[in-house]
Amino acid sequence: MKTHQIMRIDDSGARTKVWLDEEEADKIVRTLEKREWERGIAGMLMARVGLRSEETTTVTPDDVLRAKDGESWLLRVQGKNTKGGEKTTRKAWLPDDVEKALFNFARERGIEDDEPYLPYAPRTIQSWITNDHGTEKQGTGAADVLARDEDEDDEWEHVSSHDLRRHWAHLHLVEKGVPVRVMMSIGGWSSYSAIEPYLTEPSEKNILESMKAIQ
C-alpha cells in the first residue's frame, strides 16, 4: 500500500521533469549505494553538490579545496558554460559529510590525487539512474528499481540523472532561500535565464509550514 504523497512531476513539455523532495532524493542515493559504492558517490555529487552527470566524471581528490574560513569545503568543477563557448571553472559547495565520503572512497580505492573519482563516460553515470528504455522494463538503474517496487510511486519511471541536480537547485533556491547569485556561482549557471527554470513553486510542505508560522 502506497501511503506517501504523490511525486511532483511536470509533463507539460517534450520531456517530463521530476521535482524530487529530500526524502525521495535520499532514497535514490541509498538505492545507488546498495548497488555499488561508486554509484552512491555519483548520486551524492549530483543530489548533494549539484553536479551535472558529465561533471561527476572529471573531479579528482585534487579538486577538493579547504575554504578560506578554514572549516568549510569546496569542490573545483570544470563544467558547462550556460552562455556557450569554452567550459568554465567554478567552486561548488561541498557538504562536510560528502567530503568525508569522497576521502574514504579515494583512500579505500587507492585513487591518486590527479585521478578522477569516477573514470566513466557520462552516459554510464546516467545509466546508473535509469537504463529502462526497452519494452521488457528490466532496467538496473536506481530509478528503474524503485519504479518496479510495488510500495513505491510509479512516477519513478520518469526520473533521470538531471532530476538529482534539479532537486539540489530547487531545494536551495526555493525551499531554503539561498540567494540566486550564490546558486549561480556554486551551480555553474552563467545567466539568470539559465537558472530561472529551477525557480518553480515551493513544495506543499514548505507552503504549510510557512503559513502555519504566521497563523
Side-chain angles (χ1 to χ4, degrees):
M1 180 179 178
K2 300 174 183 179
T3 58
H4 58 281
Q5 68 177 36
I6 297 174
M7 189 176 290
R8 298 172 66 201
I9 67 169
D10 176 5
D11 57 2
S12 60
R15 184 173 182 175
T16 299
K17 299 176 182 179
V18 182
W19 303 91
L20 301 169
D21 61 23
E22 287 186 87
E23 180 181 345
E24 292 161 346
D26 287 344
K27 184 173 291 185
I28 201 165
V29 172
R30 290 197 305 272
T31 303
L32 288 162
E33 289 174 339
K34 288 178 182 177
R35 180 62 186 271
E36 289 177 333
W37 195 2
E38 55 260 46
R39 296 192 184 205
I41 292 294
M44 284 192 291
L45 288 173
M46 291 184 284
R48 300 287 310 287
V49 191
L51 268 59
R52 301 175 177 90
S53 57
E54 62 268 24
E55 294 170 345
T56 67
T57 68
T58 65
V59 290
T60 71
D62 261 345
D63 292 319
V64 176
L65 310 171
R66 178 68 85 174
K68 290 182 179 180
D69 66 2
E71 300 177 356
S72 306
W73 295 97
L74 300 170
L75 183 65
R76 182 171 50 220
V77 182
Q78 187 178 54
K80 177 182 178 182
N81 184 343
T82 55
K83 288 184 178 179
E86 296 293 324
K87 290 184 176 182
T88 60
T89 300
R90 70 181 188 275
K91 291 180 181 178
W93 171 261
L94 186 62
D96 291 347
D97 61 325
V98 180
E99 185 278 328
K100 184 176 181 179
L102 290 174
F103 175 82
N104 290 334
F105 181 69
R107 181 181 59 185
E108 293 299 321
R109 293 296 176 89
I111 299 172
E112 298 294 335
D113 288 347
D114 60 350
E115 293 178 342
Y117 293 104
L118 303 171
Y120 302 98
R123 187 66 191 91
T124 297
I125 305 298
Q126 295 162 13
S127 74
W128 290 350
I129 307 301
T130 179
N131 50 50
D132 204 359
H133 304 301
T135 57
E136 297 301 318
K137 295 296 182 183
Q138 293 299 313
T140 58
D144 307 326
V145 171
L146 290 167
R148 289 197 299 271
D149 189 329
E150 293 183 355
D151 295 325
E152 290 293 335
D153 199 310
D154 294 337
E155 304 300 350
W156 279 109
E157 68 180 5
H158 298 299
V159 174
S160 69
S161 59
H162 191 70
D163 292 317
L164 297 181
R165 174 172 161 86
R166 178 176 291 109
H167 156 74
W168 174 82
H170 178 263
L171 174 68
H172 290 84
L173 282 166
V174 180
E175 304 294 314
K176 297 187 178 297
V178 176
V180 173
R181 290 294 179 184
V182 171
M183 291 299 294
M184 288 175 64
S185 177
I186 64 176
W189 290 281
S190 306
S191 65
Y192 181 81
S193 61
I195 198 174
E196 193 275 334
Y198 299 91
L199 288 163
T200 188
E201 66 183 42
S203 65
E204 181 178 292
K205 178 182 178 182
N206 184 298
I207 293 172
L208 295 177
E209 289 179 350
S210 297
M211 297 313 294
K212 284 194 293 185
I214 63 173
Q215 181 171 261

